[in-house]
Amino acid sequence: MLRLAVLVSGNGSNMLAILDAYKKELLNNLVPVLCVADRPCKALERAAGWGLETVLLEGKHNGEKLTDALDRQLSERRIDIVALAGWLSIISGKLTRKWTGRMVNIHPSLLPEYGGKGMYGEYVHKAVLDAGKKQSGCTVHFVTDSIDGGKILGQSRVKVLKNDTAESLAARILIEEHRLYPKILADLAVDIRVHHR
Ligand code: GRF
């Protein structure tokens, strides 16, 4: 078995999709064991409600301190794979390097477009609409010290509709996120197991 930690800051719908996939035995040998939040949030309550161990790293929002606290949590719990699911803090390069190939994120655009610093939440969807794009979507990628810049593991596409608002587009993309993220994690769990043999 491989142990999964989910990192959250917000609503937690992707985390729930991952937990649901686990219950349905769709995550292969990957078992969610920990939810870490960098602020009090709905996702943390949802994780606790589900029965997952939760940790709140509140008050440590500056890069290095947060990274050190996170590092301790992940090693104490012998985590194998880390999934950022709406996590908003920057994790410093020291930790992303330690987790090369084992830390992943989901982003609500077709990276490399509309990623990077400041590109999160509605800013992403507004930028897509302002640019008159015909398509958007979501991307699961490895986390590196370049924000949203790590190797792409999978994408889902969504058509941008004529009357879309940032909100309506975000909602349609989120449905795809919930399909894509568990699938990529399940694949990664197999890859990592094979790799470590
Ligand atoms: C998602 O759109 C995800 O792509 C982005 O943050 C949002 C998190 O939503 N990184 P939720 O907290 O999983 O509902």
Side-chain angles (χ1 to χ4, degrees), residues 11-14 86 106-108 174 177:
N11 201 29
S13 71
N14 276 290
I106 187 153
H107 183 81
L174 199 57
E177 293 186 37

Side-chain angles (χ1 to χ4, degrees), residues 8-15 43 46 84-88 105-109 121 125 138-139 170 173-174 177-178:
V8 296
S9 306
N11 201 29
S13 71
N14 276 290
M15 178 196 66
R46 288 174 137 174
L84 279 61
W87 169 268
L88 289 174
N105 180 43
I106 187 153
H107 183 81
S109 77
H125 308 297
C138 52
T139 304
I173 291 175
L174 199 57
E177 293 186 37
H178 298 163

Side-chain angles (χ1 to χ4, degrees), residues 5-73:
V6 185
L7 273 47
V8 296
S9 306
N11 201 29
S13 71
N14 276 290
M15 178 196 66
L16 285 184
I18 293 165
L19 296 176
D20 191 50
Y22 167 71
K23 275 212 165 146
K24 292 181 176 148
E25 299 184 8
L26 297 173
L27 287 190
N28 294 324
N29 57 332
L30 189 59
V31 182
V33 295
L34 179 67
C35 172
V36 181
D38 61 352
R39 65 201 73 194
C41 57
K42 184 151 184 207
L44 201 63
E45 290 167 25
R46 288 174 137 174
W50 193 85
L52 202 58
E53 186 181 355
T54 57
V55 172
L56 174 60
L57 300 178
E58 205 187 359
K60 302 196 178 74
H61 281 186
N62 87 57
E64 288 305 317
K65 258 195 185 167
L66 179 86
T67 297
D68 289 347
L70 182 59
D71 191 10
R72 268 197 303 280
Q73 292 297 333

